Amino acid sequence: MKWDEFFVTGDPLIYGADVSIVLTMAGILFYMTRYKKWKWLWTEWLTTVDHKKLGIMYIVSAVLMLFRGGVDALLMRTQLAVPEAKFLDSQHYNEIFTTHGTIMIIFMAMPFLIGIINVVVPLQIGARDVAYPYLNAVSFWTFFIGAMLFNISFVIGGSPSAGWTSYMPLASNELSPGPGQNYYLWGLQIAGIGTLLTGINFLVTILKMRAPGMTLFRMPMFTWSSLVTMVIIIFAFPILTVALALMSFDRLFGSHFFTLQGEGMDMLWANLFWLWGHPEVYIVILPAFGIFSEIISTFSKKTLFGYKAMIWSMLLIAGYSFLVWVHHFFTMGSGAAVNSVFSITTMAIGIPTGVKIFNWLFTMYRGKIQFTTPMLWSLGFIVNFVVGGVTGVMLAMAAADYQYHNTYFLVSHFHYVLIAGTVFGCFAGLIYWYPKMFGYKLNERIGKWVFWLFTIGFNVCFMPQYFLGLDGMPRRVYTYSEESGWGPLNMLSTIGGFMMGIAFLVLVYNMYYSFRFAKRETTGDAWGGRTLEWSTPAAMPPFYNFAKIPEVTGLDHFWRQKQEGKVEKLTAKDIKKIHMPNNSGVPFIMGSFFFVLGFGFVFDWMWMAIIGLIGVIGTLIYRSFEYDDGYYVSVEEVIETEKISK
Amino acid sequence: MAHAETHDPNTPLEYRSEVGRLNILGFWIFLGAEIALFATLFATYMVLTHRIADGPALGELFEVKSLLIQTFLLLTSSFTCGLAVHEMRRHNVKGLMLWMIITLGLGLGFLYFEIQEFLHFIHEGANIGTSAAWSGFFVLVGTHGAHVTFGIFWVTMVLIQVAKRGLTPATSAKVFITSLYWHFLDVVWIFIFTAVYLMGMVMHHG
């Protein structure tokens, strides 16, 4: 392979990216060395097994990926702003919509939510960490390495260009030669391992690590939504694992699962992909539902309306999520009977979702509503998500879908549910739990600017796309003719897209501004919260979370304690020594070997893949022989950390 | 997180530490994910089983003798694995070691005959690239075989730890988890036996 095949060449945009990557790396190296931060980075972050720090690392990675995916989006919108634009050529455009979709779903939405789950769930259930802290670090590093592997594709080797759905035979060796599609296969495969491990880890954590007295039906709604999400992950991700492996075999070893030769079946890929892909949609929406439930309840100063109905509707949604996958390809030609069944199951999902919407509305009814920024995002969610939901029911009608299929109507629909649902949820959760993570709130005034800019921009961007779709504009085209008449609405859509971009920048500015100027929280209860995570005396819980494990007597335990004036004050007598897990550098090293393995497979360099594989197995063996029983935090240290007077 | 705990004397050794209990539950859930994984492979195989292109039909090459030997070896190994855990609960390290080593031997025998069978198929002109049906066969049965291979290495590692450290709540939980894994592979084989070999031969010979 020649060097100009290894590095992507010939496009000034890519050269610009090369320069900025090199400059950023140099800047980081200089800063870290100049201020002697390397040891701090290693001991505090790279080797940590603390769920709160891992959660923050997930969220930081996700925000970076939101930037990357957002830049992709704006490049596409720039190209589409006017008819017959020459900004991007068709291949480059294909690569960008592929990486945009893949990054936003796999490397932005999921890790953002998993990050929030990491930070919040152990605190909400009164636990000191997750069931398997070490495995949690392995999860993070496999996710991070998968994301990095996927992301370097645009400067090294070329990006995948077969869409985030990677339909066969388009994604085959014949039609997508070279490393691009391999990046997709191995980036997702490696990150998928981490996601499955997270699923197992948090399911066991929620089932087994709850504080005494917290029965299943006393758990906060966000914890419930996480529990249901983990169950979906455990049964959905192995399907993706298999599908990716089979496509890898087709590309590497000449098998005939999805190929046109050898009587392979290309639509089998579509079925397997969406058998995972549709549950995946619920993996990224249910935790957001949980976040909104917490926020709406907190800022209405009321217990969540219809708590049990909320749980049962989530369980129903989880079940249905595995029974609707064919609606992604009604036009495949399965026949009227099959399409009717999947049409009905799809519409049926609207019922439990509707139950949830009404429960949120009734929670606010006669509540004392505070219009904080997390609450604004939640209210914005209800309005905009319903628009996405209603158009979803339109798409669910198989006969009508023949008209909407693969048009901008569909593009607009899933952006209305994924942005108004998942992204609004991520922002709301980030702002709501920001003081728990960093000890101060994000500035509310700037936060309101972000909300209005983003929400208006979002509607300006995507509302026109419904009409473009109804007018016949297909998705995944890099340009369109003047005569089509789609120019003005596309220009409007682009303007909205850039408003969202500006809103993102203001959000990042708010992080900087608040870091510099925000008032530091003096208690653990920044918003007048209801659940256990707000009951820690310090704004940011110490690494062991709770000096004394709370005893829970019912739903909204902490809120009722406050109402009844019975918030316990810790005394030195309460303190016992605390058992905690040791940090470990092995997960990071294992992740690095996964990178070597993935990179080797991407370029078909088997020697490199084998080195990586040996490294991964070596770290597994090392861990198996390591008997690490953790350590105890002494009573004195806890007393000092909690600032208890003797 | 391990605490000093009091136990019912009848609590099996592997359930006596909190870490052991959590790990065993987590592994059961992992097996749930494995069921989803194999179910996907089975579904793929079923969809593709008649798509033989220009290659031989699956049932044409299957042989009863090799199949029965493999099945006998693997099913017996599940039984001896159960005996090993039984000995472990009697705190008999020697018995545990003996039965587990016999289990590994039977597993190796299974692998030997499986590899022989694969080589035979390849010799007869059926490999992973012959047709969609053979792709499905090799990847489904091969994934099971890869699991058995991994299991043999894993059990060996755990036995070395038992030899070094004796039976503790930690090592016994590891032995117990590997035994769950081993039995699971046996269950998967019963489905392969039925859905792949029996159905393949019946379909072909009628």
Side-chain angles (χ1 to χ4, degrees):
Chain A
M1 179 175 266
K2 290 196 252 14
W3 69 270
D4 62 337
E5 287 171 18
F6 185 71
F7 291 108
V8 177
T9 53
D11 190 320
L13 281 173
I14 300 287
Y15 290 134
D18 287 337
V19 171
S20 58
I21 290 171
V22 170
L23 284 179
T24 312
M25 300 260 272
I28 292 171
L29 284 176
F30 175 77
Y31 176 86
M32 299 294 286
T33 312
R34 172 80 173 71
Y35 293 97
K36 297 196 171 69
K37 291 279 188 189
W38 290 109
K39 192 161 184 296
W40 166 82
L41 182 72
W42 177 257
T43 52
E44 293 290 317
W45 297 96
L46 300 188
T47 60
T48 188
V49 295
D50 183 335
H51 68 96
K52 301 179 287 299
K53 286 186 175 170
L54 287 168
I56 290 171
M57 281 151 76
Y58 267 114
I59 293 170
V60 169
S61 315
V63 171
L64 286 174
M65 290 296 108
L66 180 59
F67 174 73
R68 161 74 208 268
V71 170
D72 283 349
L74 293 183
L75 290 173
M76 283 190 285
R77 280 317 322 164
T78 306
Q79 165 67 18
L80 292 177
V82 291
E84 279 151 63
K86 298 276 183 292
F87 179 59
L88 300 173
D89 63 40
S90 61
Q91 173 63 20
H92 200 171
Y93 186 86
N94 292 351
E95 291 182 11
I96 288 176
F97 76 64
T98 302
T99 53
H100 168 75
T102 313
I103 286 173
M104 285 302 202
I105 295 281
I106 307 280
F107 301 125
M108 190 284 285
M110 244 195 331
F112 211 133
L113 292 165
I114 288 178
I116 295 175
I117 289 170
N118 255 285
V119 172
V120 175
V121 165
L123 289 166
Q124 277 199 333
I125 63 174
R128 291 199 167 120
D129 208 318
V130 295
Y132 318 114
Y134 175 92
L135 203 63
N136 205 13
V138 173
S139 285
F140 172 77
W141 286 110
T142 46
F143 144 69
F144 185 77
I145 289 302
M148 288 302 110
L149 187 64
F150 187 85
N151 267 276
I152 58 167
S153 66
F154 82 108
V155 286
I156 297 177
S159 291
S161 57
W164 92 282
T165 52
S166 286
Y167 278 175
M168 288 291 263
L170 178 58
S172 66
N173 270 339
E174 292 74 30
L175 297 176
S176 298
Q181 184 59 23
N182 298 341
Y183 272 116
Y184 173 91
L185 292 168
W186 290 97
L188 265 64
Q189 190 69 285
I190 293 169
I193 296 169
T195 311
L196 177 63
L197 295 178
T198 298
I200 297 172
N201 203 343
F202 277 84
L203 182 58
V204 175
T205 302
I206 296 171
L207 289 178
K208 287 289 165 190
M209 312 276 285
R210 277 168 288 133
M214 184 177 279
T215 58
L216 283 177
F217 284 95
R218 286 177 183 172
M219 294 197 309
M221 193 50 61
F222 180 62
T223 301
W224 254 112
S225 72
S226 306
L227 174 79
V228 178
T229 305
M230 297 309 149
V231 174
I232 304 180
I233 286 177
I234 288 163
F235 289 107
F237 263 78
I239 306 173
L240 177 70
T241 304
V242 170
L244 293 171
L246 299 185
M247 193 193 277
S248 304
F249 289 151
D250 276 4
R251 289 178 63 91
L252 277 174
F253 306 129
S255 59
H256 293 298
F257 289 101
F258 313 123
T259 58
L260 297 180
Q261 310 84 6
E263 284 201 61
M265 200 191 271
D266 48 358
M267 283 314 289
L268 179 62
W269 165 265
N271 277 280
L272 291 180
F273 181 85
W274 286 113
L275 249 171
W276 159 78
H278 201 86
E280 167 69 14
V281 174
Y282 288 89
I283 291 169
V284 295
I285 198 66
L286 287 181
F289 285 175
I291 292 169
F292 295 128
S293 298
E294 299 292 343
I295 290 171
I296 290 175
S297 169
T298 300
F299 295 116
S300 305
K301 303 276 171 217
K302 276 178 66 190
T303 301
L304 192 65
F305 184 90
Y307 173 83
K308 283 198 175 168
M310 285 295 219
I311 293 166
W312 288 113
S313 47
M314 272 198 297
L315 290 169
L316 266 179
I317 291 173
Y320 276 134
S321 75
F322 284 89
L323 300 174
V324 298
W325 79 94
V326 172
H327 72 211
H328 294 274
F329 40 85
F330 278 142
T331 54
M332 158 184 159
S334 305
V338 171
N339 278 2
S340 303
V341 169
F342 283 92
S343 185
I344 290 166
T345 53
T346 305
M347 286 189 248
I349 282 202
I351 298 170
T353 315
V355 168
K356 297 185 77 70
I357 299 276
F358 280 105
N359 280 341
W360 287 313
L361 294 177
F362 286 129
T363 304
M364 287 187 283
Y365 179 67
R366 293 203 163 175
K368 292 188 203 109
I369 297 177
Q370 293 171 289
F371 290 96
T372 58
T373 43
M375 189 63 175
L376 282 181
W377 287 106
S378 307
L379 296 171
F381 150 75
I382 293 179
V383 177
N384 291 293
F385 187 81
V386 166
V387 176
V390 169
T391 51
V393 177
M394 288 169 73
L395 282 156
M397 293 181 273
D401 183 68
Y402 275 69
Q403 183 66 29
Y404 313 133
H405 187 77
N406 266 357
T407 68
Y408 264 83
F409 188 84
L410 170 78
V411 173
S412 187
H413 155 70
F414 68 69
H415 282 92
Y416 259 88
V417 280
L418 282 171
I419 294 180
T422 305
V423 176
F424 280 28
C426 290
F427 287 167
L430 178 69
I431 299 165
Y432 182 58
W433 283 298
Y434 209 82
K436 218 25 37 185
M437 290 184 258
F438 301 107
Y440 54 90
K441 287 180 192 167
L442 286 174
N443 182 284
E444 284 278 290
R445 202 165 54 84
I446 304 175
K448 281 172 188 166
W449 274 99
V450 176
F451 169 75
W452 288 110
L453 260 175
F454 194 87
T455 307
I456 293 169
F458 163 67
N459 278 288
V460 173
C461 182
F462 289 102
M463 192 54 86
Q465 294 185 8
Y466 280 127
F467 296 97
L468 284 169
L470 291 176
D471 203 21
M473 181 170 168
R475 69 193 288 206
R476 291 173 175 160
V477 290
Y478 82 108
T479 193
Y480 52 90
S481 69
E482 181 90 55
E483 299 79 60
S484 65
W486 298 329
L489 283 179
N490 267 301
M491 177 54 89
L492 192 60
S493 179
T494 301
I495 291 169
F498 275 91
M499 281 176 74
M500 294 163 79
I502 292 166
F504 175 80
L505 293 180
V506 180
L507 175 72
V508 173
Y509 170 73
N510 196 7
M511 290 178 185
Y512 167 76
Y513 179 88
S514 308
F515 168 70
R516 288 288 303 278
F517 304 113
K519 183 171 71 67
R520 266 48 184 172
E521 295 293 323
T522 50
T523 71
D525 189 14
W527 301 102
R530 313 176 73 83
T531 40
L532 286 180
E533 75 269 33
W534 306 109
S535 72
T536 59
M540 293 158 71
F543 60 96
Y544 51 78
N545 292 353
F546 299 94
K548 180 176 174 245
I549 299 290
E551 291 215 18
V552 178
T553 56
L555 198 61
D556 292 337
H557 175 77
F558 181 55
W559 176 257
R560 282 183 298 106
Q561 273 190 322
K562 285 190 290 185
Q563 294 303 97
E564 294 161 14
K566 284 187 193 158
V567 179
E568 286 177 69
K569 198 132 177 64
L570 276 178
T571 58
K573 283 204 310 286
D574 296 326
I575 308 297
K576 298 195 179 70
K577 62 181 181 174
I578 294 173
H579 184 259
M580 292 302 290
N582 282 318
N583 284 356
S584 172
V586 181
F588 174 75
I589 295 167
M590 189 192 290
S592 308
F593 279 119
F594 264 117
F595 188 87
V596 176
L597 177 144
F599 201 80
F601 274 122
V602 165
F603 284 92
D604 230 338
W605 295 339
M606 284 305 151
W607 57 270
M608 191 173 176
I610 289 168
I611 292 173
L613 185 65
I614 291 171
V616 171
I617 294 173
T619 49
L620 285 172
I621 294 174
Y622 177 85
R623 174 63 179 177
S624 180
F625 280 84
E626 179 187 44
Y627 279 69
D628 178 357
D629 293 326
Y631 68 101
Y632 283 94
V633 188
S634 69
V635 173
E636 292 73 35
E637 192 185 334
V638 179
I639 288 178
E640 200 181 301
T641 315
E642 299 287 326
K643 301 192 181 72
I644 298 171
S645 46
K646 290 192 187 168
Chain B
M1 256 138 267
H3 306 283
E5 294 168 76
T6 51
H7 303 281
D8 186 316
N10 292 324
T11 305
L13 194 54
E14 67 270 18
Y15 283 98
R16 287 198 188 171
S17 72
E18 173 143 20
V19 173
R21 286 195 296 272
L22 286 177
N23 288 357
I24 291 169
L25 175 64
F27 196 77
W28 274 109
I29 294 170
F30 173 75
L31 289 183
E34 285 271 67
I35 289 173
L37 184 133
F38 275 103
T40 312
L41 286 171
F42 273 105
T44 303
Y45 172 80
M46 303 275 207
V47 167
L48 300 176
T49 180
H50 296 298
R51 302 173 77 96
I52 56 176
D54 304 325
L58 293 169
E60 200 175 309
L61 299 187
F62 291 161
E63 282 179 11
V64 177
K65 193 177 141 199
S66 160
L67 172 66
L68 288 183
I69 295 173
Q70 288 176 54
T71 307
F72 175 77
L73 288 172
L74 201 66
L75 264 58
T76 312
S77 82
S78 211
F79 178 64
T80 55
C81 179
L83 291 178
V85 171
H86 179 71
E87 291 299 333
M88 179 179 85
R89 290 190 174 159
R90 297 173 59 203
H91 295 262
N92 180 356
V93 178
K94 263 194 183 156
L96 162 67
M97 287 290 194
L98 178 69
W99 286 115
M100 264 310 194
I101 289 167
I102 292 173
T103 305
L104 291 180
L106 292 166
L108 281 171
F110 166 83
L111 276 183
Y112 172 80
F113 283 98
E114 178 159 77
I115 291 166
Q116 286 299 321
E117 188 192 41
F118 278 20
L119 290 175
H120 171 69
F121 291 157
I122 291 166
H123 183 73
E124 295 286 320
N127 58 51
I128 192 170
T130 303
S131 63
W134 283 103
S135 300
F137 170 84
F138 277 107
V139 171
L140 169 59
V141 182
T143 303
H144 176 267
H147 273 71
V148 174
T149 313
F150 179 82
I152 289 170
F153 282 107
W154 188 17
V155 173
T156 310
M157 299 287 164
V158 171
L159 289 186
I160 294 171
Q161 292 170 34
V162 174
K164 268 169 58 180
R165 295 167 180 272
L167 276 180
T168 65
T171 55
S172 60
K174 289 188 178 193
V175 173
F176 185 71
I177 287 169
T178 57
S179 81
L180 290 178
Y181 181 77
W182 199 266
H183 293 312
F184 171 76
L185 295 181
D186 209 44
V187 175
V188 173
W189 180 258
I190 290 170
F191 281 91
I192 290 178
F193 178 86
T194 316
V196 177
Y197 288 95
L198 280 190
M199 280 172 65
M201 283 190 273
V202 170
M203 296 288 184
H204 186 69
H205 299 292

